[in-house]
Every structure is written in C-alpha cells, then in structure tokens.
Amino acid sequence: MKTLKFLLFFIITICFSSCIYWDNDDDIPDISSYESQYEPITQSRPFFENDIALQASRPISDAGKIYVKDEYILINENEEGFHLYDNTNAESPEPIAYLKVRGATDLAIRGNTIYVHHLVDLVTIEYNFYTNSIENVNRSLNVFPPLNSPDGFPATYFNVPENEIIVGYQLKK
C-alpha cells in the first residue's frame, strides 16, 4: 500500500512539475539579431500578373494534389502550374494542356471557373474545357501572405519594394 501511495505521489509530482515555467523554456529567439542566409527572388507585379499561360502538355516532374472535374483530371506541378488530362478513357488519360501558374499550390473548381492560389493573389480563370482555352482571368490582389524565407524570416525583413512580388529565395553568395 505504501508503494502504491509513493508511486501515485511520484506521478502527480512529475505531472505538476511539467507545468512549471523555467526561465528559458520555449523562448522564441529574437531574429532581429540574426541575418538571413537567403535573399529574395522578385518579379515586378505587371510581369507576375501576366505570367499565367496555357501551354502544350508536358511530362509531370513533381506532382502535387490531384483534382477531378467531370471527365477531366488536373494534377498540380508543385509551385509551377497544373497538368490537364482528358479522363474519358480512365485506363489511358490523354494529356490536353499545361496551365502555367508560378507559385500555384492549390485550386478549387466550380463549374468552368478555376480558383488558383497564385503566391499572394487569388486568381479566377474561366477555362473552356471544350475549346481548351482561357477565356477570362480575374485577380484579387494580396489575399495570401507573402512567402517567408526558408530560414523563417518574414517577407517584411527583406524590404522588397511595393511593386515587387517575392517568387522565391536563393542562398546568398
């Protein structure tokens, strides 16, 4: 009985001691005293906004999410765009086109409208599946936060001009 009481007391002590704050537990370092190992790669906003294009199909090299729309399949090429396939014959899908949208990681489809995450913007694309063409592109500016550097520095750290968009990072030379 004494052993059981001792064991219970020991377990309770351990549980409560894990809740005590010790000086430097979980402190987040102040990054203002550090320097990023990366520099941003930027594009001017006009160039960035006109960088969406429908291109000939190409092989998939870094597949991401897969989307199904009626008899069509859209496969994300991580941060590059989307491969479009005709899946009428499910055993042998036919490549249709490649929708180049740099920085694209996700999309949603409603009817023939494709909503794409394009780095900091939300882009609405009216895609005509029958003529394989983009009919209309609308853009909601700065819906998403800008990219942070791989070592955790926020985009604001880099003092990028207002008319520039961070499209990636590279190691400093």
Side-chain angles (χ1 to χ4, degrees), residues 62 76-81 98 101-105 119 147 167-168:
D62 186 18
N76 177 242
E77 182 79 36
N78 283 324
E79 298 189 13
E80 295 294 326
Y98 179 73
V101 185
R102 186 169 183 175
T105 56
L119 289 173
L147 291 175
V167 296

Side-chain angles (χ1 to χ4, degrees), residues 21-141:
Y21 175 76
W22 304 99
D23 259 348
N24 292 323
D25 280 358
D26 301 325
D27 281 349
I28 298 171
D30 178 19
I31 64 168
S32 64
S33 61
Y34 298 103
E35 185 176 324
S36 177
Q37 299 299 308
Y38 293 87
E39 57 190 13
I41 301 168
T42 63
Q43 282 183 345
S44 68
R45 177 154 285 280
F47 184 81
F48 170 74
E49 290 180 4
N50 291 314
D51 199 28
I52 295 176
L54 193 61
Q55 302 174 339
S57 63
R58 66 180 202 185
I60 298 171
S61 62
D62 186 18
K65 296 179 180 180
I66 299 173
Y67 304 87
V68 177
K69 162 70 170 120
D70 301 328
E71 66 272 4
Y72 299 98
I73 297 174
L74 289 88
I75 302 174
N76 177 242
E77 182 79 36
N78 283 324
E79 298 189 13
E80 295 294 326
F82 298 90
H83 300 272
L84 288 83
Y85 286 87
D86 181 350
N87 196 35
T88 306
N89 178 0
E91 291 186 20
S92 180
E94 292 291 321
I96 299 172
Y98 179 73
L99 180 61
K100 178 184 164 215
V101 185
R102 186 169 183 175
T105 56
D106 209 350
L107 67 77
I109 304 172
R110 184 170 188 183
N112 285 346
T113 304
I114 301 173
Y115 302 89
V116 179
H117 170 228
H118 186 210
L119 289 173
V120 295
D121 297 345
L122 177 63
V123 178
T124 307
I125 301 169
E126 293 292 331
Y127 179 74
N128 188 325
F129 287 93
Y130 303 108
T131 62
N132 189 32
S133 62
I134 297 174
E135 295 177 351
N136 192 10
V137 176
N138 294 312
R139 179 177 298 276
S140 298
L141 302 177

Side-chain angles (χ1 to χ4, degrees), residues 10-28:
F10 180 72
I11 292 172
I12 290 172
T13 303
I14 295 295
C15 288
F16 282 123
S17 69
S18 67
C19 298
I20 296 173
Y21 175 76
W22 304 99
D23 259 348
N24 292 323
D25 280 358
D26 301 325
D27 281 349
I28 298 171

